[in-house]
Amino acid sequence: NAGVTQTPKFQVLKTGQSMTLQCAQDMNHNSMYWYRQDPGMGLRLIYYSASEGTTDKGEVPNGYNVSRLNKREFSLRLESAAPSQTSVYFCASSDGASGGYTFGSGTRLTVV
Amino acid sequence: AQSVAQPEDQVNVAEGNPLTVKCTYSVSGNPYLFWYVQYPNRGLQFLLKYITGDNLVKGSYGFEAEFNKSQTSFHLKKPSALVSDSALYFCAVRDPRGGGFKTIFGAGTRLFVKA
């Protein structure tokens, strides 16, 4: 099925460990995004990539890095995980500023 | 700064009755407005959007939303609720200036439709 694919779906990390969340879309969208969802806070933008080769900080970028590997793939890396990064992470893509987002199914991350 | 408010944490409606989920925003200029729905353990799904034109926009699953510029509101509506509409609903706003790549989401409103 066409859409946005995220891996893994679940992950438990110990404080200080690192990991990379993977995201790929097959809709030929130019723009891709990483959000985190926390109860009562909606979704907050971590980083985004307006087009292949560019990345920019969002609302809550501290503790994260991203890579736009090619037009399809946009990964999110936690270099040294902290309990405050326990959250559900969503990747999304869109085709232009007026387009709605297509979201992946999310990664539930717990940092202990 | 942009902001989106969903004043109700939860909305309860009986099946067959009309439903409204409220959203107000604070963005200068002419923002793009969106509604998304999230079912349990799933990602968000796009429902509808307002970019320009007719203030009443129609979307998926029989939902519609009314844009009111003077009240800076974009309320989600459906004439007859279904139990399957029970989910978490998010309003979102995007300032198209500067490319429009930063979408701000509200905190979400949980809709319960009782049979």
Side-chain angles (χ1 to χ4, degrees):
Chain A
N1 292 335
V4 178
T5 302
Q6 287 184 240
T7 56
K9 294 191 182 301
F10 301 94
Q11 184 72 49
V12 178
L13 290 178
K14 294 182 179 179
T15 297
Q17 287 186 318
S18 62
M19 79 162 295
T20 299
L21 282 64
Q22 307 288 351
C23 175
Q25 54 93 7
D26 59 4
M27 295 168 289
N28 203 36
H29 284 169
N30 286 316
S31 306
M32 298 185 73
Y33 313 83
W34 277 105
Y35 282 87
R36 59 177 288 174
Q37 182 179 24
D38 301 292
M41 301 187 72
L43 279 75
R44 292 181 291 169
L45 182 63
I46 304 171
Y47 271 92
Y48 68 97
S49 172
S51 60
E52 185 178 357
T54 69
T55 60
D56 284 286
K57 295 178 180 179
E59 183 183 357
V60 288
N62 291 343
Y64 305 95
N65 285 299
V66 291
S67 296
R68 183 74 182 265
L69 305 171
N70 47 55
K71 191 171 186 178
R72 292 186 64 249
E73 298 173 288
F74 188 40
S75 62
L76 178 71
R77 183 162 178 83
L78 287 72
E79 290 291 351
S80 178
S84 61
Q85 294 178 305
T86 293
S87 188
V88 180
Y89 292 84
F90 288 102
C91 178
S93 69
S94 72
D95 188 14
S98 64
Y101 288 176
T102 300
F103 282 87
S105 57
T107 296
R108 187 173 295 274
L109 175 68
T110 302
V111 183
V112 298
Chain B
Q2 301 177 72
S3 66
V4 179
Q6 294 182 242
E8 302 154 317
D9 291 336
Q10 184 171 310
V11 170
N12 297 309
V13 176
E15 188 174 34
N17 282 0
L19 71 86
T20 299
V21 182
K22 296 179 180 178
C23 172
T24 59
Y25 64 90
S26 175
V27 176
S28 57
N30 298 305
Y32 297 163
L33 300 160
F34 303 83
W35 276 101
Y36 292 85
V37 60
Q38 185 179 32
Y39 298 102
N41 301 312
R42 302 284 297 276
L44 280 72
Q45 297 178 32
F46 169 75
L47 275 180
L48 51 78
K49 66 180 179 182
Y50 174 83
I51 304 300
T52 187
D54 193 351
N55 289 344
L56 185 66
V57 293
K58 296 186 183 297
S60 306
Y61 311 121
F63 283 94
E64 56 190 28
E66 186 170 12
F67 170 64
N68 187 319
K69 187 169 185 176
S70 63
Q71 296 186 5
T72 61
S73 67
F74 189 54
H75 300 330
L76 181 70
K77 301 181 180 183
K78 187 173 183 182
S80 179
L82 299 172
V83 172
S84 58
D85 292 330
S86 298
L88 186 57
Y89 290 82
F90 290 95
C91 181
V93 62
R94 185 185 303 164
D95 185 345
R97 296 172 296 180
F101 295 106
K102 295 184 179 181
T103 298
I104 303 298
F105 286 80
T109 298
R110 192 165 296 280
L111 174 67
F112 286 102
V113 181
K114 187 176 180 181

